[in-house]
Amino acid sequence: MRETRQNRIARLLQKELATLFQEQTRSTHGILISVTNLKISPDMSICTAYLSIFPPEKADEIVKNIRANEKTIRYNLGTRVGKQLRIIPELRFFLDDTLDYQEHIDEILKKE
């Protein structure tokens, strides 16, 4: 039962964060931020979001900027889901590098 609630809240937060990032980056042309995975702790207090950013050259700079504005993002998220959640979890953002890793493995396999 608890795992189902955890998954439901994770999907809700992932959807709302993706919408929030889409609205924020609409004015900056050429930047796309996707929330590829989101994990929430069992006590619902910590939310870990993995972001995929295009173009990858700006990824480190954008993640640094997002981390600097975590409190603002949490507040904006709270205004969106405040009626559904009692406590808005603490947000942590990480760069999702699985696509880069996959491309690296493909290059290695092609060489052999």
Side-chain angles (χ1 to χ4, degrees):
M1 179 73 174
R2 183 172 204 161
E3 185 176 322
T4 307
R5 176 170 162 74
Q6 209 173 341
N7 290 338
R8 212 173 57 233
I9 290 173
R11 283 193 308 269
L12 171 70
L13 292 176
Q14 182 175 4
K15 178 181 167 256
E16 292 299 332
L17 275 174
T19 305
L20 190 66
F21 286 136
Q22 183 180 18
E23 290 172 359
Q24 294 296 321
T25 59
R26 187 171 289 155
S27 62
T28 56
H29 300 287
I31 295 177
L32 178 67
I33 300 174
S34 301
V35 182
T36 56
N37 195 6
L38 192 131
K39 296 179 183 176
I40 193 157
S41 63
D43 63 350
M44 312 288 181
S45 65
I46 298 173
C47 174
T48 305
Y50 295 91
L51 306 175
S52 177
I53 299 173
F54 182 82
E57 300 83 37
K58 296 182 179 181
D60 291 331
E61 175 187 340
I62 292 171
V63 170
K64 191 176 184 181
N65 189 14
I66 288 172
R67 286 181 182 158
N69 294 307
E70 281 178 357
K71 292 182 192 255
T72 306
I73 294 169
R74 183 179 180 196
Y75 174 79
N76 291 336
L77 185 65
T79 59
R80 292 174 171 268
V81 298
K83 303 286 186 204
Q84 298 166 2
L85 296 176
R86 210 171 28 190
I87 298 172
I88 306 304
E90 176 186 335
L91 300 174
R92 295 182 182 167
F93 295 101
F94 295 97
L95 186 61
D96 185 11
D97 59 353
T98 54
L99 290 176
D100 296 334
Y101 182 72
Q102 182 180 4
E103 288 177 9
H104 178 68
I105 296 296
D106 286 341
E107 289 175 10
I108 291 173
L109 292 175
K110 285 179 183 177
K111 287 180 183 178
E112 293 182 5

